[in-house]
Amino acid sequence: MPRPIQASIDLAALRNNLAVARRAAPHARTFAVIKANAYGHGLMRSARAFAAADGFAILEIDNAVRLREAGYRQPILLLEGVFDCHELRAAAEHGFACAIHDPEQLGLLKALPGGARIDVFVKLNTGMNRLGIVPRMLQGVMAALRAEAQVRSLTLMTHFACADDDRGIGEQWQRFGSATREYRLPCSAANSAAILRHPQAHGDWIRPGIMLYGASPFAGVSAAALGLLPAMTLTSQLIGLQELSPGDAVGYGATFVAQRPMRIGIVACGYADGYPRHAPTGTPVLVAGVRTGTLGRISMDMLCVDLTGIPQADRGSPVTLWGEGLPADEVASAAGTVSYELFCALAARVPVVERE
Ligand SMILES: *Cc1c(COP(=O)(O)O)cnc(C)c1O
């Protein structure tokens, strides 16, 4: 038997979650965000599951080309635009919409051959201070873009820093409005959190990411409460058992020491599979359907779990690291991270299966 770890991707869950996003913003069109290998879920299978989306948003141009080559004709937005003039030519050739987030990128447009046309998303920095044109530069950039024959259409976009927490989008949305109102152009602003919590910012194109994969964008709200279904379930099995006496330690650094006689299980899953190494003792795990916790440090290929109260657990017992029955959000929170990072970290060595 091969090493028992496996990630299973539920295509019906992906479709359900897209429908939740679309229902939340019935008047907007949807770019399904499939950057980073569709948050670790697999680019092509996710694109297939999201075929009902109006378009795709992605970062890596080579993956955008793969989508076109696979026959997807819908709009594809390059979220960070292009990085050089070769990419810009490829973008025009394949009909990718391009974010422009820096006045420097205007120069690239000159490199397009005469007849080429491109759809441009002008990205404004309204307070995230990562990428984007600051509002006071917008007039100049818009004038330059409108003078370019190569620009087929213009859409205004921004990205929110705190759409998921109590600070919300107020200030950013106001800055966006006052900078863009005069242009009367289509706009795109909402990530998952804003789609679910800030309908005033739905605009013309929403950009759901994490919610499509069945995780919650909000710290205090479960995915289930939002109607989202987990798409990725990471499972493995117990491949070993140990009986500990009081004083016995577990794993590297001997960070866990038994206070009483204990039975523990060894799971075929470690940080080289994408499990977070910083997950502390007590990070939730399901063993034979029963919730328990990790013990000691996560190793490269293994982790240890407490079998107290699970006497039926034995070699070969099924283990769920996250997904169905154990929300990735809870594991992420225990490990001091977010579900985004768990999903994206799923390692290439983990076999992936699909479920309908
Ligand atoms: C990744 C990304 C999104 C999706 O964000 P989620 O929080 O995953 O919904 C939307 N817009 C931009 C610009 C992004 O980079």
Side-chain angles (χ1 to χ4, degrees), residues 3 239 266-271 297-304:
R3 189 166 176 262
I239 56 170
I266 315 305
V267 181
C269 176
Y271 61 80
R297 289 224 180 113
I298 308 301
S299 305
M300 183 182 282
D301 310 309
M302 283 173 268
L303 57 82
C304 304

Side-chain angles (χ1 to χ4, degrees), residues 33 35 39 59 79 123 130 157-159 189-193 195 207-211 217 340:
V33 178
K35 62 188 175 191
Y39 292 44
L59 223 89
L79 286 165
K123 183 163 186 176
R130 206 175 51 175
M157 76 184 275
T158 195
H159 193 52
N191 57 0
S192 298
I195 291 164
R207 306 191 304 267
I210 193 69
M211 69 181 295
Y340 298 75

Side-chain angles (χ1 to χ4, degrees), residues 13-299:
L14 294 173
R15 287 193 293 269
N16 168 78
N17 300 337
L18 174 66
V20 171
R22 299 181 83 193
R23 270 202 303 277
H27 304 294
R29 287 191 284 171
T30 304
F31 278 124
V33 178
I34 53 174
K35 62 188 175 191
N37 193 31
Y39 292 44
H41 291 65
L43 177 76
M44 284 307 181
R45 81 168 57 87
S46 302
R48 202 167 1 105
F50 299 146
D54 303 285
F56 298 113
I58 196 164
L59 223 89
E60 313 86 3
I61 192 167
D62 47 338
N63 284 337
V65 171
R66 284 174 62 204
L67 291 171
R68 281 284 183 262
E69 285 171 354
Y72 292 99
R73 299 272 172 81
Q74 48 269 75
I76 296 179
L77 169 63
L78 299 177
L79 286 165
E80 284 185 5
V82 293
F83 292 88
D84 60 35
C85 57
H86 303 288
E87 288 195 359
L88 183 63
R89 269 186 230 127
E93 191 182 316
H94 293 286
F96 301 148
C98 261
I100 286 202
H101 57 80
D102 191 307
E104 290 282 309
Q105 292 176 311
L106 294 173
L108 283 179
L109 289 169
K110 311 271 182 227
L112 278 180
R117 293 286 178 275
I118 192 137
D119 298 306
V120 171
F121 278 60
V122 182
K123 183 163 186 176
L124 259 92
N125 171 12
T126 55
M128 178 93 164
N129 289 313
R130 206 175 51 175
L131 291 183
I133 291 155
V134 290
R136 74 186 145 73
M137 304 283 283
L138 184 61
Q139 278 209 327
V141 169
M142 291 300 285
L145 285 167
R146 286 177 153 170
E148 290 289 350
Q150 278 88 344
V151 175
R152 178 168 41 213
S153 73
L154 287 167
T155 303
L156 294 157
M157 76 184 275
T158 195
H159 193 52
F160 297 125
C162 306
D164 57 321
D165 70 26
D166 289 344
R167 289 165 292 180
I169 62 164
E171 245 184 85
Q172 281 194 268
W173 188 237
Q174 206 206 307
R175 278 189 207 133
F176 186 74
S178 43
T180 60
R181 205 165 288 124
E182 64 179 284
Y183 301 108
R184 301 181 170 280
L185 287 171
C187 71
S188 173
N191 57 0
S192 298
I195 291 164
L196 295 168
R197 206 170 260 182
H198 304 291
Q200 72 274 29
H202 284 166
D204 298 273
W205 283 96
I206 55 169
R207 306 191 304 267
I210 193 69
M211 69 181 295
L212 300 182
Y213 306 101
S216 170
F218 308 116
V221 183
S222 73
L226 299 167
L228 303 170
L229 303 174
M232 179 194 292
T233 299
L234 181 62
T235 57
S236 188
Q237 292 179 6
L238 295 185
I239 56 170
L241 301 165
Q242 298 290 341
E243 303 280 347
L244 304 186
S245 305
D248 285 348
V250 175
Y252 287 115
T255 60
F256 177 82
V257 179
Q259 304 298 307
R260 50 180 172 78
M262 279 181 93
R263 196 162 163 262
I264 71 168
I266 315 305
V267 181
C269 176
Y271 61 80
D273 299 300
Y275 197 88
R277 199 187 76 92
H278 290 102
T281 288
T283 299
V285 183
L286 291 186
V287 177
V290 181
R291 197 174 164 120
T292 180
T294 61
L295 293 176
R297 289 224 180 113
I298 308 301
S299 305

